[in-house]
Amino acid sequence: MRESGSKATQIHTHQPSGKTKLDRRTILEAGADFIDQHGVRELSMRRLGAALGVEAMSLYRHVPSRENLLDGIVELIMDQLYGDPEVYLEPRNGWQDYLFRLAHGLRRMALAHPRIFPLVATRPPEAPWVRPPLRSLRWIDSFLGALTSSGFRPEAAVAAYRAFSSFLLGHLLLEVAALGAEIGPVETDDGQAQETGDLSEYPQVLQLQDLLSEDRSADEFEESLENLLERLGTLIR
Amino acid sequence: MRESGSKATQIHTHQPSGKTKLDRRTILEAGADFIDQHGVRELSMRRLGAALGVEAMSLYRHVPSRENLLDGIVELIMDQLYGDPEVYLEPRNGWQDYLFRLAHGLRRMALAHPRIFPLVATRPPEAPWVRPPLRSLRWIDSFLGALTSSGFRPEAAVAAYRAFSSFLLGHLLLEVAALGAEIGPVETDDGQAQETGDLSEYPQVLQLQDLLSEDRSADEFEESLENLLERLGTLIR
DNA sequence: ATGCTTTGCTTACATCGTAAACAAGCTTTC
DNA sequence: GAAAGCTTGTTTACGATGTAAGCAAAGCAT
């Protein structure tokens, strides 16, 4: 499995015992888990090493720096999209279905890793045309191919790509931020859960407080996505 | 100039000489300048102190922590909106004009401080209904008031607030990120400006490369904003 | 003058990312 | 088998960071 050298070296698994042999892949996975559980702020090389039962410096045999580690984690998470059976690399039922599935796949990814998604969103991309949250050339190529093969002119496909990115980025970032607000900063533990400040200066907010607190993100996502798809439809040749 | 206590203490300016008396406000301004010039990563308490001709620990008399400093800088930048003569706190020519001006004001703010805007976008908000990039209760109140007084039902005003936030967040974050890609990570200085990797595996990207590199953000902003306003119009009672 | 409060400086500490030298296995070659 | 080399983890070390604690000087009120 997993590929690599695999010539004749693979005759006997040398360490079938407990300790899962250090490895870039295992480090990235452990890093992702760590961030899921404790947040990026808490992730230090020493702590991640400890989580793997290893000294901090050992990680540097497989990962050149902390920055690169974070990039690797982002890439690892993004790769989950390939494993999502609901998302297709090629359009099978038209471009709308393709985009619909892609958007929902990305949303699932963001909601599965709310502490990691901000990294996906803000880490500097490797090329100017790589726009978060679609940070992989392979997916971008797939995206553009899906649209051009469905009758979009090149300009329209690119415009659609841009509109799609910024819609997803905005919506998902706010959605995971709202999630994080409940889970996030370890509770302010000075008594109880952050007293709602004095809103008497803000009558509208005060009055609409209930509506504002309501979580309609799933519906809003659906509606906005639908609207976006309609709008993109008008770009078609 | 600059205001402050100004009761009776101000009879004689004790330090009329060069050094501009330390102060939360001056620290925040210096911090904002620093980030504008060098980026958040480079901002350390010691360096900011040095920039102000003062020891790091002196800052702690006016600012409780680095985290709080960053929050303060975000708030400071957000307050520039009040000084923008093109943006009104009350709707003067209907809600569409109000939103149009607000959106453009925020865009000007983001483009004026591309290294700071990601902070505006991602710092954990003080209340769950505070959605970046509109991080101030006063503006949120203004927003909701503008819409309800223009005939939006409460649910519609809140829905509009959400749609508006996520549109702006996505678009502006991507726009400043693209800006930062040109200015950003101090150049990789290993020869010249980051060779365009091998795109032979990605024929669509390769073929649309020119279109993808084109900067149409201003136009896209205009068009998407217009579309958003139209769409919000259908929510009106 | 005397004391109080404000403000900045000095020193100190735990923690961080990571460079460098080293050691203990493997793998390869005879 | 042994010798040589490579791979992988450890040890030690350094400079930088955020910030707690105590100190000192300078402004104010008495």
Side-chain angles (χ1 to χ4, degrees):
Chain A
M1 221 161 280
R2 185 158 299 161
E3 84 104 17
S4 78
S6 80
K7 268 288 160 56
T9 333
Q10 205 62 346
I11 296 177
H12 60 330
T13 50
H14 35 54
Q15 286 308 87
S17 68
K19 298 289 141 200
T20 25
K21 207 68 176 66
L22 218 44
D23 188 354
R24 174 163 231 260
R25 179 62 179 261
T26 25
I27 292 180
L28 294 184
E29 283 170 358
D33 284 358
F34 194 102
I35 299 181
D36 275 339
Q37 285 170 36
H38 310 104
V40 214
R41 293 294 317 279
E42 300 296 310
L43 176 65
S44 78
M45 298 304 274
R46 288 184 234 263
R47 285 209 264 257
L48 180 55
L52 283 160
V54 119
E55 292 303 311
M57 287 312 289
S58 310
L59 305 176
Y60 285 91
R61 291 286 162 193
H62 310 272
V63 159
S65 71
R66 187 187 126 109
E67 291 297 285
N68 180 284
L69 170 72
L70 294 181
D71 285 339
I73 292 174
V74 165
E75 199 183 332
L76 179 77
I77 295 303
M78 280 301 302
D79 282 355
Q80 294 187 353
L81 257 198
Y82 294 113
D84 189 330
E86 307 276 333
V87 184
Y88 310 146
L89 210 44
E90 312 275 348
R92 304 190 190 175
N93 306 105
W95 61 272
Q96 319 220 29
D97 179 70
Y98 171 86
L99 290 185
F100 184 86
R101 288 172 179 280
L102 180 55
H104 277 88
L106 284 165
R107 178 161 184 264
R108 276 191 293 276
M109 188 266 274
L111 293 181
H113 304 283
R115 324 277 283 264
I116 299 182
F117 186 76
L119 284 187
V120 176
T122 58
R123 215 111 250 286
E126 49 184 331
W129 47 68
V130 176
R131 296 162 59 101
L134 211 62
R135 306 184 58 103
S136 132
L137 279 173
R138 182 132 170 251
W139 276 111
I140 296 168
D141 204 66
S142 156
F143 186 109
L144 296 172
L147 293 215
T148 52
S149 75
S150 301
F152 280 75
R153 277 175 298 106
E155 296 81 7
V158 170
Y161 167 56
R162 296 214 175 105
F164 187 79
S165 322
S166 77
F167 159 69
L168 273 177
L169 183 65
H171 186 98
L172 295 183
L173 207 49
L174 282 170
E175 196 168 350
V176 305
L179 248 183
E182 301 163 7
I183 301 298
V186 207
E187 280 200 46
T188 40
D189 88 16
D190 58 335
Q192 74 194 58
Q194 184 76 8
E195 222 37 65
T196 310
D198 180 18
L199 292 182
S200 54
E201 302 243 28
Y202 312 105
Q204 301 293 329
V205 176
L206 188 65
Q207 196 170 355
L208 302 184
Q209 195 169 348
D210 289 356
L211 286 172
L212 284 167
S213 307
E214 214 175 318
D215 179 13
R216 301 230 320 119
S217 30
D219 292 346
E220 276 159 20
F221 184 74
E222 228 60 63
E223 290 162 16
S224 310
L225 177 58
E226 207 164 318
N227 172 268
L228 176 69
L229 294 184
E230 266 174 40
R231 195 167 148 237
L232 294 185
T234 71
L235 292 180
I236 221 164
R237 130 164 78 232
Chain B
M1 223 160 280
R2 183 155 297 162
E3 83 104 18
S4 76
S6 80
K7 268 288 160 56
T9 333
Q10 205 63 347
I11 297 178
H12 60 328
T13 50
H14 35 54
Q15 284 310 82
S17 67
K19 300 289 141 201
T20 24
K21 206 72 177 67
L22 218 44
D23 188 355
R24 174 162 230 261
R25 179 61 179 259
T26 26
I27 293 180
L28 294 184
E29 283 170 358
D33 283 358
F34 194 101
I35 298 182
D36 275 339
Q37 284 170 37
H38 309 105
V40 215
R41 291 297 315 280
E42 300 297 308
L43 176 65
S44 78
M45 298 304 275
R46 289 183 231 264
R47 283 208 265 259
L48 181 54
L52 282 161
V54 119
E55 291 302 311
M57 287 312 290
S58 308
L59 305 176
Y60 284 90
R61 291 288 162 191
H62 309 273
V63 157
S65 71
R66 188 187 125 108
E67 291 296 286
N68 179 284
L69 170 71
L70 294 181
D71 285 339
I73 291 174
V74 165
E75 199 183 332
L76 179 77
I77 295 302
M78 281 300 302
D79 282 355
Q80 293 187 353
L81 257 199
Y82 294 113
D84 189 330
E86 306 276 334
V87 184
Y88 310 146
L89 211 44
E90 312 274 349
R92 302 189 191 176
N93 306 105
W95 61 272
Q96 319 220 28
D97 179 70
Y98 170 87
L99 290 184
F100 184 87
R101 288 172 179 281
L102 180 54
H104 277 89
L106 283 164
R107 178 162 184 262
R108 276 192 293 275
M109 188 268 273
L111 293 181
H113 304 284
R115 323 279 283 265
I116 300 183
F117 186 76
L119 284 188
V120 177
T122 58
R123 216 110 250 285
E126 49 184 331
W129 47 69
V130 176
R131 296 162 61 100
L134 211 63
R135 305 185 58 103
S136 131
L137 279 173
R138 182 132 169 250
W139 276 111
I140 295 169
D141 204 66
S142 155
F143 186 109
L144 296 172
L147 293 214
T148 52
S149 75
S150 301
F152 280 75
R153 277 175 300 105
E155 296 80 7
V158 170
Y161 166 56
R162 297 215 174 105
F164 188 80
S165 322
S166 78
F167 159 69
L168 274 177
L169 183 66
H171 186 98
L172 295 183
L173 206 49
L174 281 170
E175 195 168 352
V176 305
L179 249 183
E182 300 163 7
I183 300 300
V186 206
E187 279 200 45
T188 39
D189 88 18
D190 59 335
Q192 73 196 57
Q194 185 75 8
E195 221 39 65
T196 310
D198 180 18
L199 292 183
S200 53
E201 301 241 30
Y202 312 106
Q204 301 293 329
V205 176
L206 188 65
Q207 196 170 354
L208 302 184
Q209 195 169 349
D210 289 355
L211 285 172
L212 284 168
S213 306
E214 213 175 319
D215 180 13
R216 302 230 321 118
S217 29
D219 292 345
E220 277 159 19
F221 184 73
E222 228 61 65
E223 290 163 16
S224 311
L225 177 57
E226 207 164 317
N227 172 268
L228 176 70
L229 294 184
E230 265 174 40
R231 195 168 148 237
L232 295 185
T234 71
L235 292 181
I236 220 165
R237 129 164 78 234

